Amino acid sequence: MSPARSASVAVLGATGLVGREMIRRLERRGFPIGRLLPLASRRDGRSVRYSGESIPVEAATPERLADVDLVLSSAGGEVSRALLPDAAARGAICVDNTSAFRLRPDVPLVVPEVNGHRLDGLRIGGEGAIVANPNCSTIQLVLAVAPLHERATVRRIVVSTYQSISGAGARAVESFREASRDHLDDASADSGSDALAFDVRPDIGGVAADGDSVEERKMILETPKILDAEVAVDATCVRVPVVRGHAESVWIETAEPLSPEEARATLSRAPGVRLADGGSGAVTPRGVEGTDPVHVGRIRGSRVAGRALQLWVVADNLLKGAALNAVQIAERIVGVAPEGREIDVATERCVG
Ligand SMILES: NC(=O)c1ccc[n+]([C@@H]2O[C@H](COP(=O)([O-])OP(=O)(O)OC[C@H]3O[C@@H](n4cnc5c(N)ncnc54)[C@H](OP(=O)(O)O)[C@@H]3O)[C@@H](O)[C@H]2O)c1
């Protein structure tokens, strides 16, 4: 791990939901930034606030990324594919929030508390690289399941998600709010099924010929890459009319016995996890909005299989599901959150 030094940081997608949170987290966590470069689709007079300053947003081009140390990217897969390989070839470390590179064998897919060792050897001023941030639903799933896997070897996971609208970006949130108002005024108003007012959708990203949706495919393939290639996953991903925060109903089967009490004790010590009311709590997306940890409650046994547990897992998709995880990756690379340190969930600062 290299010692911390100030980095020049480009935030690609700086005006979006994830980009704005990344800039806030960089500032709140005291990330050592020498120069911040907020980038979006165009330069049109917009600016972002950082450290008491107003910094103009510029158009993202290969030239703008030519001399930055670190790129935090959340401008969609197409933009990442167009810009990041070149930036990495020029020596930048690129932390990508999109699905563009997640499954490439040469690209680490990282949740720092789970497989942060995949970042070993990466440093500012060394060789450039692309590091992928997992899908938001995958991040909260693996953070809750990894400590149980370490304790009792998880073999199978069945997960159903309840994913908020903000997972689909700023425009989706706007359409949802508008459609909800229209629907309250006139229940027969047709706002289009995509707007999700008073409805749920089980086909996020579209359903492929094999029957899985694009979002489900991400969880099914990303989870074993992070956790263990032997873990099998079935997923049903559902968009629900909630603005922010994803919830998951998770069923796991383990090779060794693991009681709900043992699972609670294990998760109570797990970094980045907070037990809701000692594991019995019905935590909700609105209840955890703006918080860093992944919250786990409703820990129960199973009637379907002997060595199985049920969990309820909730997190802020824009924070641990995206911006916070990306910033934590950057912290490890720059050297401000060394191995073994945890983030204090109350102060959101590194401790220990
Ligand atoms: N939202 C989540 O919970 C979440 C979680 C994990 C991963 N992600 C991923 O993160 C990415 C961004 O998500 P988001 O929710 O922040 O979306 P968003 O609110 O729609 O923001 C998109 C951002 O990308 C920029 N952008 C769009 N086209 C561009 C282009 N051609 N060149 C440069 N910048 C461009 C936009 O800039 P303008 O303002 O100029 O249009 C905006 O800053 C997506 O790939 C998403 O899958 C999102």
Side-chain angles (χ1 to χ4, degrees), residues 13 15-18 40-42 46 74-76 79 97-98 166-167 169-170 317:
T15 54
L17 294 182
V18 175
S41 66
R42 60 197 181 279
R46 291 175 294 175
S74 66
V79 177
N97 271 291
T98 80
S166 58
N317 54 297

Side-chain angles (χ1 to χ4, degrees), residues 4 25-26 28-32 112-113 292 324 327-332 334-352:
R25 291 287 133 177
L26 289 167
R28 286 174 71 167
R29 294 166 72 91
F31 190 87
E113 298 90 336
D292 283 358
L324 172 63
V327 170
Q328 286 174 311
I329 289 172
E331 287 172 341
R332 291 234 177 186
V334 171
V336 289
E339 201 76 42
R341 276 193 178 184
E342 293 175 21
I343 301 304
D344 181 319
V345 291
T347 62
E348 294 165 344
R349 309 285 309 189
C350 299
V351 294

Side-chain angles (χ1 to χ4, degrees), residues 192-231:
S193 56
D194 283 349
L196 259 165
F198 299 91
D199 211 351
V200 298
R201 286 206 70 105
D203 56 354
I204 304 174
V207 173
D210 68 359
D212 288 320
S213 73
V214 169
E215 187 78 354
E216 287 155 2
R217 178 61 60 85
K218 291 176 189 170
M219 294 192 83
I220 291 164
L221 298 177
E222 291 175 23
T223 303
K225 177 168 176 178
I226 301 163
L227 211 52
D228 179 339
E230 298 296 311
V231 175

Side-chain angles (χ1 to χ4, degrees), residues 233-252:
V233 181
D234 276 341
T236 300
C237 292
V238 181
R239 188 79 73 200
V240 297
V242 167
V243 173
R244 181 165 174 167
H246 291 357
E248 295 176 354
S249 163
V250 181
W251 184 93
I252 58 168

Side-chain angles (χ1 to χ4, degrees), residues 265-318:
T266 302
L267 289 172
S268 69
R269 296 186 295 270
V273 174
R274 186 178 285 174
L275 277 186
D277 295 341
S280 59
V283 63
T284 69
R286 285 188 66 181
V288 309
E289 194 174 314
T291 68
D292 283 358
V294 168
H295 301 256
V296 184
R298 307 288 324 277
I299 301 174
R300 292 170 284 162
S302 167
R303 287 170 197 84
V304 174
R307 292 178 179 173
L309 287 176
Q310 306 177 72
L311 319 167
W312 176 246
V313 179
V314 185
D316 188 322
N317 54 297
L318 296 178

